[in-house]
Each structure stands twice: as C-alpha cells, then as structure tokens.
Amino acid sequence: MKRIIYVILFLVIQIATYSFKDNYIFNAERIKKVFSEWEFVDEEKKENYYMRFINREKDVTIDISNYKKGDNSETAERRFHKSSLEDDYVFNGNGLLSVGYLGITSKEYIKYSETGIEKKENFFFEKVKFAIYLTDSEEDYKETLELVKEAIDPSIKVKERPKKIFKKSLKVDQIFDVKKLKREFDNTHKYVELEKNVDPSGIMLLLDEKKAGFRRQIIIESTNNFSKEVITRRRDYNLKLADDIDGYKYIREDKKSEKYFGVSSREYQNTHFKDAKLFDVVAMANVIVTDQYEILIINYIPEGQKEFADKQYEEYLKILSSCLKK
C-alpha cells in the first residue's frame, strides 16, 4: 500500500514538474515590498544582485539573487551543493513540499547544530535563485514559500504591507556594566574568569578553576532582536542535548528572577552524575530571557546543599541586576 502511495505521489510530482513553466523574475523592489516585514540585513550589487532577509520572530532567513553574467541554474546548483557540504550540511534529497507552491522540488540540506536541526532549501530558476534557512518547522516553511511565490511570480499582485522598523540590536556591554560585573563577582568569589564572545555578543563568567571539575558559570548573550520564543527554543534544545553529559530536563518555571528582571526563569536539572553514581551532585540551569538579552546560570549542587544553592542563586540575581545599565 505504501509503495502504491509513493508511486502515485511520484507521478503527480513528475507531472507537475513537467507541466511547470518557469516565468519567475528577479525584481529587487518587488521582493523588498513582499518581505517588508522581515529585517533587510544585507545587499550586494556587484556581479549580480543579492539580498538577505531575516524573520527574527520565526528564525527564518532567505538569501535571494539573480545570476551573474555567464552563470546559470545548473552551474549554480553544483556550486551551491559543494559550498553546502563545506558548511557541514548533509544533502537530504529533493524536498517535495515546494512543488505545490513553486512547481519544483527543492534541494534540501540539514545540519545538526548546538541550537537545533537547521534546514537549508535551495532553489534554482532561470532568472532567480534563493536559499531558505530555518529550523525544522513545516508551518514557517510554508508561509515563506507563499511569500517567495508572491515575490517572484509577476502574475500575482503584491499585497500592501507595512514596512516594519527594526531597532539596532545591542551588544552585551551596552546592556550590562561588564567591568562592574567582573568586580562584583571578584569580591564574592575566590576565582572568576571572564570570556567574551563576538557573535552573538556575549560574555561568560566561570566561577571555578578548571581543575575543580565542576565549573559554575554565568552566560549573558544579546538576543540580536530574535524573539523570546526563538531564544528559548534554541536554549531548550541546547540544554537537553548537552554533549558532555546526558542533557538537562526542564523542571519548572521559577519566579525568583521576576523581582530582578521582570520575567520568570526556566529551570532545568541534570542528574547524570548522581544516577551514574559518579558524584553526589545535581547540575541545575536557569534560563532568563528578555527582549534584549538572555542569561544562563549553571550551578552544581552537592547532596543536602539545595537551600544554600538557592540563596547563592538569588545572590547571583542581585549582582546581575545591579549591573544593568539603566
């Protein structure tokens, strides 16, 4: 039965693809109008015309361009296949979902990253080529395909959309007084190591020496204007699939941080060391996400020290909030 369904589906796709006429165009102003509610982050007009748009509410990116002189869909497809593999993507075959929207299958690639399963869908037409990057959300992909169809199909009337104004994303040192933060933790801890990150803008405070084994840490990162839902989903995936131990499990919503940051935290627990009878220690993680920044606090709690750890966690919250730039 499954084989019959597969054959029928294959024939339908073949017929649709065979009857498809590539009348799609690349018109930069038309594309900008359709994607006016996405952030327009990059544009190049050299050998060809290239643009990038990001939907930070849904975590979807599209790169779209025409061809440079002498280039065509076949050579571009081979070139993009090679570059995708070099970027650690794995070719996942032809994506069928796009047939109902654009008349052809996509060239689908996947990559397992620290923040989720990343998909890349490549498309090559006679006058336009584009790539859609997203996490594994079929609904977001469908919505993006509808927008692309409107942007490149001249037979479709472009809808009127408001042009969204985007704030410039802030770096962590614009949000927190990092020097004061380091000084405050130096005053309360024997060992403090500060590491900085550029993209996304962030810092990590390590509160134990490497030889200690278990290293308490506080990570602060800019959200780069991505929505709270996107940041929370990424961190949730990252914690649950921690590659050094078995991963954290979401426990509950913790209200303590509301007093200091206006939002509750998501609390996670990891009992790997205790379950494996290696150490009588439970790892705890608290994630605080606001519109501008994310805070991750990781602590290791010995048996019988939960009350002390709770007090220590609240002290961390006090210090962190006192270092916010008003």
Side-chain angles (χ1 to χ4, degrees), residues 216-227:
R216 292 166 294 167
Q217 55 191 274
I218 298 172
I219 297 171
I220 307 173
E221 289 185 347
S222 166
T223 62
N224 275 349
N225 287 340
F226 282 99
S227 67

Side-chain angles (χ1 to χ4, degrees), residues 66-272:
N66 56 13
Y67 294 93
K68 64 182 180 181
K69 189 176 180 180
D71 198 10
N72 57 52
S73 58
E74 288 81 10
T75 56
E77 185 178 328
R78 289 194 295 270
R79 188 171 66 252
F80 277 68
H81 174 76
K82 183 181 177 183
S83 66
S84 296
L85 298 181
E86 288 172 350
D87 287 339
D88 297 326
Y89 283 94
V90 175
F91 181 56
N92 199 41
N94 293 331
L96 306 180
L97 187 59
S98 58
V99 173
Y101 294 86
L102 299 170
I104 67 166
T105 59
S106 67
K107 301 300 177 184
E108 186 175 283
Y109 299 81
I110 60 171
K111 176 166 67 174
Y112 295 90
S113 73
E114 292 182 352
T115 55
I117 302 170
E118 298 178 14
K119 271 191 174 182
K120 180 183 181 184
E121 308 280 355
N122 284 347
F123 294 87
F124 303 92
F125 297 100
E126 186 180 345
K127 296 178 181 177
V128 59
K129 65 183 187 293
F130 59 91
I132 298 171
Y133 303 83
L134 71 163
T135 46
D136 198 11
S137 170
E138 187 173 295
E139 202 57 42
D140 294 342
Y141 183 40
K142 287 178 181 178
E143 289 176 7
T144 306
L145 289 173
E146 288 176 357
L147 289 174
V148 172
K149 173 74 171 173
E150 183 183 343
I152 65 176
D153 189 341
S155 67
I156 297 177
K157 185 179 178 181
V158 174
K159 297 175 184 176
E160 291 293 328
R161 295 181 176 87
K163 184 172 176 59
K164 194 171 180 180
I165 306 300
F166 294 91
K167 294 179 182 178
K168 187 177 180 181
S169 62
L170 297 175
K171 298 184 184 299
V172 163
D173 59 8
Q174 294 175 299
I175 305 169
F176 286 85
D177 185 334
V178 176
K179 288 183 179 178
K180 180 182 176 184
L181 195 61
K182 173 71 162 59
R183 190 167 61 247
E184 290 290 334
F185 277 98
D186 278 335
N187 290 338
T188 54
H189 290 71
K190 291 180 181 178
Y191 178 89
V192 180
E193 181 182 338
L194 175 66
E195 295 182 3
K196 294 185 178 182
N197 193 49
V198 176
D199 188 21
S201 170
I203 62 167
M204 177 166 66
L205 289 161
L206 293 160
L207 306 179
D208 298 286
E209 295 183 67
K210 198 170 186 179
K211 64 182 181 181
F214 299 113
R215 306 186 81 186
R216 292 166 294 167
Q217 55 191 274
I218 298 172
I219 297 171
I220 307 173
E221 289 185 347
S222 166
T223 62
N224 275 349
N225 287 340
F226 282 99
S227 67
K228 290 181 184 179
E229 290 76 19
V230 168
I231 299 298
T232 300
R233 185 180 70 231
R234 288 178 178 178
R235 184 60 69 185
D236 188 72
Y237 181 92
N238 174 262
L239 287 171
K240 287 180 179 178
L241 294 179
D243 55 13
D244 55 338
I245 50 180
D246 288 344
Y248 289 79
K249 293 178 182 177
Y250 173 70
I251 302 299
R252 65 190 179 99
E253 184 181 1
D254 185 84
K255 301 284 188 180
K256 292 186 191 74
S257 60
E258 288 184 352
K259 177 181 174 182
Y260 303 97
F261 301 101
V263 295
S264 59
S265 74
R266 288 173 61 84
E267 188 168 285
Y268 297 79
Q269 185 182 79
N270 192 307
T271 58
H272 167 78

Side-chain angles (χ1 to χ4, degrees), residues 59-72:
D59 198 12
V60 184
T61 298
I62 181 166
D63 290 339
I64 186 165
S65 66
N66 56 13
Y67 294 93
K68 64 182 180 181
K69 189 176 180 180
D71 198 10
N72 57 52

